[in-house]
Amino acid sequence: MSILTILRYPDPRLHKIAKPVTVFDARLKKLVEDMAETMYAAPGIGLAATQVDVHERVIVIDTSEAHDELRAYINPEILWASEEKQVYDEGCLSVPGIYDGVERPARVKVRAFDVEGNPFELEADGLLAVCIQHEMDHLQGKVFVEYLSPLKRNRIKTKLVKEEREMARSAQRVATR
């Protein structure tokens, strides 16, 4: 297993729409293992393949306290979403250090495949429902900050671009010593 590089907003690759998985093989299993290791190391509770520059419909999620309930969702689709909404403070591994309230359906029913290609359905609420919807947005090329006002979004973009520049300068200083 290996830790993958997580794309940072506003990287344009985060806006690519993921393609359906058509082959359930060892490559897919390795991708899921690497994504899980990357998510746990970050640390996070969900990761979409889009975030690691793989544009396939694959997400991994583990909302458990003990980090022992990993689940992969291959080609996920929402079959049903409640009319009832909830606001959760969301964060994202691609938007480090930023959290803000996003309103989403409180409950969802999802159909997906596991890494073996077996279909399953799941009803989720609470944090799991939020996480599923958040990660599925990534597969559509959408980052959670796009739910925020243009002013907030621009401030976040400016902050992250500045941080990226500062990290690059620091790395350059270290390399020249």
Side-chain angles (χ1 to χ4, degrees):
M1 295 195 305
S2 55
I3 294 184
L4 307 170
T5 301
I6 297 173
L7 300 177
R8 285 176 54 119
Y9 181 80
D11 192 308
R13 294 172 289 179
L14 288 168
H15 299 294
K16 284 187 176 180
I17 296 176
K19 304 270 189 260
V21 171
T22 56
V23 178
F24 293 78
D25 59 3
R27 184 200 63 82
L28 177 64
K29 287 180 185 160
K30 175 142 178 34
L31 173 63
V32 167
E33 288 172 3
D34 290 347
M35 286 175 60
E37 185 175 357
T38 303
M39 175 189 72
Y40 289 133
I45 60 172
L47 186 67
T50 301
Q51 292 176 270
V52 293
D53 203 20
V54 176
H55 302 284
E56 296 179 51
R57 296 187 57 76
V58 178
I59 60 178
V60 293
I61 293 175
D62 186 346
T63 58
S64 69
E65 289 290 324
H67 303 286
D68 60 357
E69 296 177 18
L70 178 69
R71 186 158 221 171
Y73 299 77
I74 315 299
N75 298 333
E77 59 181 310
I78 293 178
L79 302 175
W80 171 86
S82 68
E83 288 186 27
E84 177 192 353
K85 305 283 186 198
Q86 65 185 3
V87 175
Y88 255 81
D89 251 6
E90 294 188 24
C92 181
L93 297 177
S94 291
V95 191
I98 306 294
Y99 298 87
D100 212 320
V102 176
E103 183 179 71
R104 297 184 184 273
R107 293 180 314 284
V108 293
K109 183 175 185 178
V110 180
R111 178 188 304 137
F113 294 88
D114 65 17
V115 292
E116 304 291 335
N118 301 309
F120 67 91
E121 290 185 6
L122 172 82
E123 286 194 33
D125 61 6
L127 181 59
L128 180 58
V130 170
C131 194
I132 288 169
Q133 293 172 81
H134 175 109
E135 299 309 333
M136 286 182 67
D137 276 353
H138 280 298
L139 301 180
Q140 296 301 320
K142 188 169 187 175
V143 180
F144 92 97
V145 296
E146 293 170 44
Y147 287 98
L148 307 178
S149 72
L151 178 63
K152 279 187 179 179
R153 199 168 45 246
N154 285 333
R155 283 183 178 161
I156 291 166
K157 185 186 274 187
T158 300
K159 178 183 183 212
L160 292 176
V161 166
K162 182 180 176 187
E163 284 176 10
E164 196 77 27
R165 251 188 259 121
E166 287 170 3
M167 286 190 306
R169 279 192 206 115
S170 293
Q172 189 175 26
R173 273 188 234 118
V174 169
T176 57
R177 286 186 185 164

